[in-house]
Amino acid sequence: MGSSEYQPLLLGLDSHSRIPDLSSAVIEEFLEHGPVSLQWWPRLVGWESRLLWILSGASIIVSECNYMLSFVTLMFTGHLGALELAGASIASVGIQGLSYGIMLGMASAVQTVCGQAYGAKKYSEMGIICQRAIILHLGAAILLTFLYWFSGPVLIAVGQSKSIAEQGQIFARGLILQIYAFALSCPMQRFLQAQNIVNPLAYMSFGVFLIHILLTWVVVYVLDYGLLGAALTLSFSWWLIVILNGLYIVLSPSCKQTWTGLSIRAFRGIWPYFKLTVASAIMLCLEIWYNQGLVLISGLLSNPTIALDSISICMNYLNWDMQFMLGLAAAASVRVSNELGAGHARVAKFSVIVVNATSILISIVFSAIVLIFKVGLSKLFTSDSEVIAAVSNLTPLLAISVFLNGIQPILSGVAIGSGWQAVVAYVNLATYYIIGLPIGCVLGFKTSLGVAGIWWGMIIGVLLQTITLIILTARTNWNVEVERAAERLKKNADDEQETLDLVASA
């Protein structure tokens, strides 16, 4: 077949048409019989962008609303006092962030396997994969409970002052229930996203976010329950998300093929999935903890309260931007995993190009906003003039980090969709912790730069990691990735069949 046979189909793909189920196959054939004329690129980009934004628009809302639950909580605690904000911030970053990183990292394995299974139309396997993930997440939650309960001594052990650690422990103990909500919500949300069910997730997350604002105001200001009340409210809001997600999965006709009820088969074949889960958790945790390490290390500087308050405010905005990009990255992961599972190597590669170009343009806009509104952004958290001045001095570094966020999380999303978690984990370890973190510590503690020096080291690490991921992505043989996806799904199917045979023989 020649590419001319597909030109009429491309001409029909306008912004108002419904993209048919076989559009990916059509584009795959068209790209295969290239070279593609320049006149077709706008339509190809428009087609891919439309699919991307259908997924990412809702995914971004989900990611932002989930993050904004903690963001709003810290905004309310910030007005209780500088010490309360420092304690809540250090617990949010050092304890809550650690747990969320583990849970989110483990859940990325659901994106990989479920996304590829959905692309290959092996729907019945997806529910078992989700249950398998929940089992492993609950095991991790039980272990993390001890970290939350003894968070005060842990924070003191890593160098935080006693007063800040005491406030941090109060906040962390109120978040214990949240760990178990993480353990359920992270796999369930990835399970739904893998099958392109994103709009219902967005409605649920946004509704809970609005309820959370009202509840936090009542608990902190009206009832005057302070830090503990704010933390318990945050835990409650996450359980609302879990309940709504669970009801949708069980009751919605959209999940009829992918969720067939609880099954003992989830306990079988768990070891191969556990290995992918560990690689996924390490990969994403090394990324999330890297930025959070900036806050922890800042607590070791002189005048730690001002250092922690200023850097935590900047990190909240950086994390806000990160959540936006993680929503885009989740869409990229779904697109890549679906196309690899369906055997469309060229469409997967084309999707990678489009999503990276889109994210870079968005990050340029976000960086400009940070520089223009640097004073106003800090006043949302505090009225302390010293903290406001410190935040203003750090905004150029925040703008640089925001720009890098336009590339790095997207490439990580591509890695998740392709199942490269183990490789990227090694890259993150080398660039972040062997290179970036030591440079930041030297600049922060051995020069007059302070917090800015620590941040420069972090930026160097992210830059090196981004360059490495660009090289890995550019050198990828997407046909080989299609074969690997098929092998992964076949192995999972073989494990399921072996389980069925054992049950039958019993």
Side-chain angles (χ1 to χ4, degrees):
M1 291 184 180
S3 62
S4 60
E5 297 179 35
Y6 296 94
Q7 292 177 0
L9 288 168
L10 287 174
L11 286 169
L13 291 176
D14 56 49
S15 60
H16 302 291
S17 62
R18 179 178 175 83
I19 298 178
D21 292 339
L22 296 179
S23 290
S24 292
V26 169
I27 302 302
E28 177 72 14
E29 290 285 351
F30 186 81
L31 293 173
E32 183 180 1
H33 295 89
V36 179
S37 172
L38 288 176
Q39 64 177 314
W40 301 116
W41 282 109
R43 289 200 178 272
L44 288 172
V45 172
W47 173 82
E48 177 60 40
S49 295
R50 181 171 180 265
L51 283 179
L52 179 66
W53 283 107
I54 287 173
L55 285 172
S56 66
S59 294
I60 288 169
I61 292 174
V62 172
S63 186
E64 289 292 356
C65 287
N66 289 350
Y67 171 69
M68 287 297 288
L69 297 178
S70 295
F71 188 90
V72 166
T73 299
L74 287 179
M75 285 179 65
F76 277 102
T77 57
H79 290 281
L80 292 174
L83 183 61
E84 286 82 357
L85 176 60
S89 296
I90 204 69
S92 180
V93 170
I95 307 299
Q96 182 194 32
L98 171 71
S99 299
Y100 190 62
I102 291 173
M103 297 296 179
L104 200 62
M106 292 173 66
S108 71
V110 180
Q111 281 181 268
T112 301
V113 185
C114 279
Q116 292 176 359
Y118 186 78
K121 302 186 185 302
K122 296 183 178 181
Y123 302 128
S124 61
E125 296 179 15
M126 297 178 65
I128 302 300
I129 294 167
C130 182
Q131 292 176 52
R132 196 171 288 157
I134 289 174
I135 292 168
L136 294 176
H137 277 69
L138 287 174
I142 293 171
L143 295 176
L144 288 168
T145 301
F146 296 98
L147 174 65
Y148 275 66
W149 188 257
F150 298 105
S151 56
V154 170
L155 292 174
I156 292 174
V158 296
Q160 304 304 317
S161 68
K162 184 178 180 181
S163 59
I164 291 176
E166 287 175 351
Q167 296 298 316
Q169 178 171 276
I170 293 173
F171 192 75
R173 287 183 174 179
L175 296 178
I176 288 177
L177 291 174
Q178 185 194 43
I179 317 170
Y180 295 91
F182 281 164
L184 297 172
S185 66
C186 287
M188 289 193 295
Q189 289 188 355
R190 296 305 177 272
F191 166 76
L192 290 170
Q193 287 174 336
Q195 50 192 308
N196 302 335
I197 299 175
V198 285
N199 286 338
L201 279 176
Y203 297 140
M204 288 183 275
S205 296
F206 185 69
V208 171
F209 170 60
L210 295 180
I211 293 172
H212 178 70
I213 295 174
L214 177 61
L215 288 178
T216 305
W217 176 78
V218 171
V219 169
V220 174
Y221 282 114
V222 179
L223 301 179
D224 196 24
Y225 285 160
L227 273 182
L228 181 60
L232 289 172
T233 304
L234 183 57
S235 294
F236 175 79
S237 296
W238 269 97
W239 271 102
L240 281 181
I241 292 177
V242 170
I243 293 169
L244 292 173
N245 290 171
L247 288 174
Y248 185 89
I249 290 172
V250 173
L251 301 177
S252 173
S254 301
C255 299
K256 182 173 61 176
Q257 290 181 289
T258 56
W259 182 265
T260 55
L262 297 175
S263 173
I264 193 67
R265 290 158 54 195
F267 290 92
R268 302 287 186 175
I270 204 168
W271 178 246
Y273 183 80
F274 174 75
K275 290 190 289 185
L276 179 60
T277 296
V278 170
S280 301
I282 293 173
M283 170 197 154
L284 214 57
C285 285
L286 289 176
E287 292 183 9
I288 294 174
W289 297 344
Y290 187 58
N291 284 333
Q292 292 169 343
L294 175 56
V295 181
L296 292 172
I297 296 171
S298 299
L300 305 178
L301 295 170
S302 59
N303 197 354
T305 301
I306 297 299
L308 275 174
D309 285 351
S310 61
I311 201 66
S312 65
I313 289 172
C314 288
M315 283 297 103
N316 271 293
Y317 286 113
L318 182 61
N319 287 335
W320 181 88
D321 174 70
M322 176 69 80
Q323 295 305 316
F324 185 98
M325 291 303 170
L326 283 177
L328 199 60
S333 176
V334 171
R335 287 288 300 126
V336 171
S337 61
N338 284 176
E339 299 300 345
L340 289 178
H344 301 149
R346 292 167 186 81
V347 178
K349 179 180 180 180
F350 182 66
S351 179
V352 171
I353 296 171
V354 172
V355 69
N356 276 285
T358 302
S359 64
I360 289 172
L361 291 175
I362 293 171
S363 288
I364 292 172
V365 175
F366 283 177
S367 297
I369 291 173
V370 166
L371 293 173
I372 293 170
F373 298 103
K374 59 183 181 179
V375 175
L377 294 176
S378 60
K379 288 184 177 179
L380 287 175
F381 280 88
T382 182
S383 55
D384 190 308
S385 59
E386 195 172 357
V387 175
I388 292 172
V391 172
S392 298
N393 291 333
L394 291 174
T395 48
L397 296 178
L398 177 59
I400 294 172
S401 295
V402 165
F403 176 75
L404 289 176
N405 266 355
I407 307 172
Q408 183 270 333
I410 308 303
L411 294 175
S412 293
V414 172
I416 290 170
S418 305
W420 304 340
Q421 286 94 326
V423 175
V424 178
Y426 287 116
V427 172
N428 291 348
L429 180 63
T431 57
Y432 287 171
Y433 295 91
I434 297 178
I435 300 175
L437 193 59
I439 291 176
C441 289
V442 170
L443 293 177
F445 293 97
K446 300 300 182 181
T447 71
S448 60
L449 291 174
V451 174
I454 299 172
W455 203 335
W456 271 117
M458 299 290 188
I459 288 175
I460 291 170
V462 174
L463 180 62
L464 290 175
Q465 189 250 22
T466 301
I467 292 171
T468 305
L469 288 183
I470 290 173
I471 294 171
L472 287 174
T473 305
R475 297 182 61 185
T476 297
N477 185 327
W478 293 98
N479 289 315
V480 172
E481 295 303 321
V482 166
E483 294 173 3
R484 288 176 178 171
E487 290 173 4
R488 185 178 293 114
L489 293 173
K490 183 178 183 301
K491 180 172 179 53
N492 190 71
D494 290 343
D495 290 338
E496 293 298 320
Q497 187 59 50
E498 182 181 347
T499 301
L500 290 173
D501 293 340
L502 287 172
V503 172
S505 62

